[in-house]
Amino acid sequence: MLIMLLKRSFKFVSMRKLLCIITLGLFCSCATEPPLPQHTIAYNNVYDVPVKTQLEQRVVVPACISNEDLTRLLNGLYEAAKKTDGYKYSTHPTHVYIYVHEAGVDWRADGYDWLGMVSMIDNEEQGVQLKR
C-alpha cells in the first residue's frame, strides 16, 4: 500500500529507484555513533551531599590514542556521566570531573599527570582540555 502510494506520488521514478531511496533513507536514519575508543574506568567516585553531587572518574587509555579519539572519548564519557541518576540530593550530578591517563602511568601517585580532562562545575560545562 505504502509503495503504491509513493509510486503514484513519484510518477517519474522507477520502482527500483524508489526502493533504493527508501532503503538508503532507512539506512541513514539508523546510523549509529562509532563505539568509544578502548578505555578502562579505573576509578569512579561519587560525592553526594546537600550542596553538590560530584562524580569523578579516572580513565586509562593506551598510549597510542590520538587527540581526536581522546576528545571523542572524553565527550562520550561526559555525556554519559551527566545522565546518571539515583543520587540522594540531586537528580543528576552538579559537578563532573573526568581525567584520562595513559596506561602505565600511576595516576594515584600523580593525579595531575593526565592526557585530557573534561569537567562541569555547578552545572556549567568547562569543555575538553588536552595536555598534548
Side-chain angles (χ1 to χ4, degrees):
M1 177 77 174
L2 178 63
I3 299 289
M4 296 306 284
L5 180 63
L6 289 172
K7 190 172 181 182
R8 283 188 210 144
S9 299
F10 298 98
K11 294 178 188 174
F12 303 108
V13 178
S14 71
M15 183 63 100
R16 178 177 280 171
K17 287 181 182 178
L18 184 60
L19 288 174
C20 287
I21 291 169
I22 292 170
T23 304
L24 184 60
L26 290 174
F27 176 74
C28 292
S29 66
C30 296
T32 59
E33 295 281 327
L36 292 178
Q38 180 185 355
H39 67 283
T40 302
I41 298 177
Y43 178 78
N44 188 49
N45 184 53
V46 175
Y47 181 69
D48 192 14
V49 296
V51 295
K52 73 177 179 178
T53 299
Q54 177 177 307
L55 176 63
E56 179 185 352
Q57 293 181 341
R58 299 289 176 154
V59 180
V60 177
V61 296
C64 60
I65 191 168
S66 68
N67 283 351
E68 180 182 330
D69 280 348
L70 183 58
T71 301
R72 193 165 56 84
L73 174 63
L74 282 163
N75 285 323
L77 292 172
Y78 175 71
E79 289 302 318
K82 284 192 324 183
K83 295 175 185 171
T84 60
D85 57 10
Y87 302 103
K88 183 176 180 179
Y89 297 103
S90 299
T91 305
H92 301 286
T94 58
H95 294 66
V96 174
Y97 301 94
I98 301 173
Y99 301 90
V100 175
H101 300 272
E102 185 177 323
V105 173
D106 186 8
W107 58 267
R108 290 177 199 93
D110 184 6
Y112 297 104
D113 192 13
W114 42 264
L115 298 174
M117 68 96 62
V118 64
S119 63
M120 175 175 70
I121 302 169
D122 286 328
N123 293 312
E124 291 186 24
E125 297 183 7
Q126 305 299 309
V128 171
Q129 297 176 31
L130 301 180
K131 276 194 171 179
R132 57 180 180 167

